[in-house]
Amino acid sequence: MKLFIEDYSYRADLVSPLLHELQPLESPAHTISLHYVGYFYSNVLHDCIFILPKVLVDEQGLLFGHLDPHQALDLNTATGLSHREKSFLYEFSVWIYRSIQVYNKKSPDNGIVYQRLLPEVESSRAAPVNGYLDILLALLHFGQRHRDFVLSTTRLAHAGRSRIHWPNTVTHTNPYFRGTTPYYLHPITKRAIPDLDDELLAIYYSILRYIADTYGFTVLYPLGLKRIAPYLFDRYLHGIGARRLRAIRYRYYTDLTLELWGLCYAFFSAVPTSNLSAGHGEYLLAKDYHIIFEAMIDTLLGDPNPPKGLKAQPDGKRVDHIYSHQGLLALDACDRVYYIGDSKYYRAGAAVGAEAVYKQFTYARNLIQWNIDSFFSAVSLGDMPVVGLCRDELTEGYNIVPNFFISAWMPHSLSFADEAAFVAQTSSVFISKQFENRLFDRDTLLVYHYKVNFLVVISLYAGGSLYHRAQWRARLRNLFTEGLRQALLQRYDFYVLIPRTSVDVKAFIQSHFQELLGKLYRPISFPTSDYLLLALERFADKAENDHILGLLAPSFSLLHCLLGQLPRKAMECVAGGGC
């Protein structure tokens, strides 16, 4: 198996002989880069060539943070990779195949996926293997190509099992006589005769079940065929499978049973022994893999059908991900806002560019204007607005627009199930503002940057069930909400303002409007319309913050609070009918 990394600059003199069929162009610096992700079979090399996503390398261009990709061109002979890393690359290649296949099925006219008939596997045990993916595909194709053979073998194996074997019954059991007539209460049937085919088929369909459960392939099973229990099959994966197949090898002599035995043994064995048939150059390649990454994130995060004008905006810009969820300032799920996300398919550790940040601010400004236009348009028509108005009429403060970048990262564990390390916030915070210390101003926009575990994302997209994806969608949205709240709490102090008795809130705000503009907001989920939220930037002028607090203190109770919840004292005030 030959291994390449997408967009990595390889020395032309080393890789040109390996890429003869792709005919890549050589740069003036005598380097070659492949702008595809996927794999193809080389008739010249008689081997599979994989092109894996660039998220595998860091900003220094090192694979797994320690290896020059030139040293991993031949995965079978690469000495710089640990056994764990090699095993990961074999499994990762299957997930890449699945992600391209799923995307191509959902968007058949996508224009970025190129494919030809996939490879088949021969039964020769002496030939070298061409990859873990080849074995999985060949196992799936065997059942499709020889379904009649598998079913007829099953029927023959089960036929006649209920017939009594009279010679053994008479010889080995004692009859019960009624008069002169013997009755055999425990007859011996043919069930006691070992079934030479059932064990191989049980192993084969247990492997298919594992492939289906792990990678999401669709598999049909013959009715009544036994399979190995999942807990026991795990032991087969750790050595018993190969040993058991070697023990029953002598039972098989037909071409098809030998082929099936070879495929199963290749799956379990540490040194698989399958061989690709090189009838013609098969391939499954995707250019612009960032489009597939965007589709993965949107499947797990975005609303499938957002209102018109949100995703495809009127100025021609298109938002990657948008969805409605509980607002950052809201106390309950009924107070919803739209979240904006943008996928960034970079190398590990790469920084977000200035152009991308500028576009993200523009998305937020367009969203605010859309919200105002659609709200008053819906009200004028007597309809229910999709979400509440982002501007508070009393304070003229604007709700916070949650806005973030999403990039991929690879966990050190190289685990597709490392859910604990699913989302991580980076230190990057991008701010656009006209005035200092005005969080609730229309022109104060913040964009944060998050990293998501690429392995969990791709396994959910390519192999997860609809139910599992829905669970993760809810969990991921909550993670972003809480993460953004915590990020805001690091930059701002928030206070709940509870008016004292006989205070006219509206008159007070009008009297001090210029001083409080952009600092106050009234969430619609607050218990009464007189409760306000104050935000003061921690890094702003301390004298200004002290002045604001001193201005408000005579007329309001100021209670320091977190986002999304009222402090206990405020709750007591609500229960007691006021402070």
Side-chain angles (χ1 to χ4, degrees):
M1 171 178 168
K2 302 299 185 290
L3 177 67
F4 287 84
I5 303 298
E6 173 198 18
D7 289 345
Y8 184 81
S9 296
Y10 288 92
R11 287 172 46 192
D13 58 321
L14 288 180
V15 302
S16 290
L18 305 178
L19 302 172
H20 175 74
E21 287 143 311
L22 280 185
Q23 298 181 349
L25 298 177
E26 182 177 334
S27 72
H30 305 293
T31 62
I32 289 177
S33 299
L34 299 177
H35 307 296
Y36 296 92
V37 169
Y39 86 100
F40 71 96
Y41 181 78
S42 171
N43 290 325
V44 176
L45 302 175
H46 300 289
D47 202 352
C48 264
I49 296 179
F50 282 83
I51 308 168
L52 299 183
K54 57 188 175 185
V55 297
L56 284 174
V57 298
D58 57 21
E59 283 193 282
Q60 288 71 42
L62 297 177
L63 182 62
F64 298 126
H66 68 85
L67 186 67
D68 187 332
H70 288 91
Q71 300 174 358
L73 285 172
D74 192 331
L75 194 58
N76 297 327
T77 60
T79 57
L81 293 171
S82 66
H83 176 73
R84 182 173 67 96
E85 290 168 340
K86 284 187 178 182
S87 299
F88 163 78
L89 288 172
Y90 279 116
E91 185 176 5
F92 187 57
S93 64
V94 178
W95 285 117
I96 293 301
Y97 165 82
R98 281 289 298 158
S99 70
I100 299 174
Q101 184 188 54
V102 169
Y103 176 79
N104 197 43
K105 184 177 180 180
K106 290 183 176 180
S107 306
D109 299 323
N110 54 76
I112 66 170
V113 176
Y114 304 91
Q115 64 177 337
R116 187 184 286 180
L117 184 65
L118 296 175
E120 298 179 357
V121 177
E122 296 177 351
S123 58
S124 171
R125 295 190 58 207
V129 69
N130 287 300
Y132 182 59
L133 176 60
D134 302 334
I135 298 170
L136 297 191
L137 295 178
L139 285 162
L140 293 168
H141 292 165
F142 181 90
Q144 297 167 0
R145 289 184 290 116
H146 303 296
R147 184 171 299 168
D148 292 339
F149 158 75
V150 174
L151 294 180
S152 63
T153 301
T154 304
R155 286 195 296 268
L156 289 174
H158 287 278
R161 279 194 166 196
S162 60
R163 296 179 183 176
I164 297 175
H165 193 281
W166 286 112
N168 282 354
T169 300
V170 172
T171 304
H172 299 291
T173 63
N174 295 321
Y176 168 75
F177 284 90
R178 186 173 184 180
T180 59
T181 305
Y183 291 90
Y184 291 89
L185 303 182
H186 303 286
I188 297 176
T189 67
K190 291 187 178 182
R191 189 179 300 275
I193 300 176
D195 190 337
L196 303 183
D197 292 314
D198 247 358
E199 183 169 3
L200 180 59
L201 291 178
I203 292 174
Y204 170 61
Y205 278 101
S206 299
I207 293 173
L208 293 190
R209 180 185 59 195
Y210 170 81
I211 295 173
D213 292 344
T214 305
Y215 304 112
F217 288 94
T218 301
V219 176
L220 298 177
Y221 307 103
L223 293 176
L225 184 70
K226 67 178 182 181
R227 283 170 284 168
I228 301 169
Y231 76 91
L232 183 58
F233 188 76
D234 186 62
R235 298 173 60 190
Y236 273 65
L237 293 173
H238 292 83
I240 291 180
R243 292 199 298 271
R244 186 59 196 154
L245 284 168
R246 285 195 296 267
I248 64 174
R249 170 66 179 83
Y250 71 94
R251 300 176 181 176
Y252 306 105
Y253 51 87
T254 66
D255 290 341
L256 288 181
T257 53
L258 287 175
E259 180 181 351
L260 180 58
W261 184 94
L263 290 173
C264 294
Y265 184 79
F267 177 82
F268 288 119
S269 178
V271 184
T273 54
S274 304
N275 179 38
L276 279 175
S277 173
H280 49 274
E282 300 88 358
Y283 54 82
L284 180 69
L285 297 171
K287 67 176 183 178
D288 300 327
Y289 192 75
H290 67 89
I291 297 177
I292 299 181
F293 177 68
E294 177 186 325
M296 293 182 200
I297 298 296
D298 207 46
T299 299
L300 299 178
L301 184 65
D303 283 342
N305 297 301
K308 183 179 179 181
L310 274 183
K311 197 171 182 72
Q313 299 184 340
D315 61 357
K317 293 181 173 59
R318 184 174 180 82
V319 180
D320 285 356
H321 320 292
I322 194 160
Y323 63 93
S324 65
H325 192 63
Q326 181 177 342
L328 302 182
L329 310 177
L331 300 180
D332 56 55
C334 296
D335 187 358
R336 304 174 73 86
V337 299
Y338 276 102
Y339 288 63
I340 302 173
D342 191 64
S343 296
K344 290 302 168 191
Y345 178 65
Y346 295 151
R347 284 184 178 181
V352 177
E355 180 181 349
V357 174
Y358 183 84
K359 287 196 298 184
Q360 207 67 12
F361 289 139
T362 304
Y363 296 154
R365 294 188 183 98
N366 290 346
L367 174 60
I368 293 171
Q369 189 59 50
W370 175 91
N371 173 268
I372 295 172
D373 293 342
S374 62
F375 182 87
F376 287 111
S377 174
V379 170
S380 65
L381 295 174
D383 298 330
M384 179 65 68
V386 179
V387 295
L389 182 64
C390 64
R391 185 183 67 213
D392 173 36
E393 296 293 340
L394 175 63
T395 63
E396 293 197 18
Y398 283 79
N399 202 349
I400 300 171
V401 177
N403 201 345
F404 50 88
F405 293 110
I406 305 172
S407 59
W409 71 292
M410 303 290 289
H412 295 298
S413 63
L414 299 180
S415 170
F416 290 86
D418 191 358
E419 299 178 356
F422 186 42
V423 176
Q425 184 178 352
T426 71
S427 59
S428 301
V429 181
F430 308 96
I431 303 175
S432 174
K433 57 186 176 181
Q434 286 198 35
F435 304 98
E436 295 292 337
N437 205 7
R438 290 191 185 180
L439 176 61
F440 302 129
D441 187 79
R442 175 168 179 160
D443 292 317
T444 299
L445 304 171
L446 295 90
V447 180
Y448 291 88
H449 184 196
Y450 285 88
K451 302 180 297 181
V452 294
N453 186 332
F454 183 70
L455 303 184
V456 175
V457 169
I458 197 173
S459 62
L460 287 170
Y461 176 76
S465 65
L466 293 176
Y467 174 74
H468 199 192
R469 290 176 193 169
Q471 283 187 314
W472 267 98
R473 182 179 296 110
R475 178 178 176 183
L476 184 57
R477 290 180 177 183
N478 289 332
L479 284 172
F480 280 123
T481 298
E482 290 305 316
L484 291 168
R485 283 173 172 171
Q486 294 304 315
L488 286 170
L489 289 170
Q490 293 176 9
R491 183 172 291 271
Y492 293 91
D493 286 318
F494 292 90
Y495 300 86
V496 174
L497 305 187
I498 302 176
R500 300 189 188 278
T501 305
S502 74
V503 172
D504 187 333
V505 176
K506 183 176 181 180
F508 181 89
I509 291 176
Q510 289 177 345
S511 299
H512 304 282
F513 182 78
Q514 198 60 40
E515 294 171 286
L516 300 176
L517 181 61
K519 296 179 174 63
L520 293 180
Y521 182 76
R522 183 177 53 172
I524 62 174
S525 55
F526 267 23
T528 75
S529 59
D530 287 340
Y531 280 41
L532 303 175
L533 186 65
L534 169 69
L536 296 177
E537 189 171 359
R538 292 184 175 183
F539 310 109
D541 183 10
K542 185 177 184 300
E544 179 189 3
N545 286 349
D546 290 342
H547 169 72
I548 296 297
L549 294 174
L551 176 67
L552 294 168
S555 302
F556 296 87
S557 295
L558 282 76
L559 305 176
H560 197 276
C561 69
L562 302 177
L563 292 179
Q565 55 184 291
L566 289 176
R568 183 180 299 275
K569 187 174 181 180
M571 297 300 293
E572 293 172 353
C573 287
V574 174
C579 293

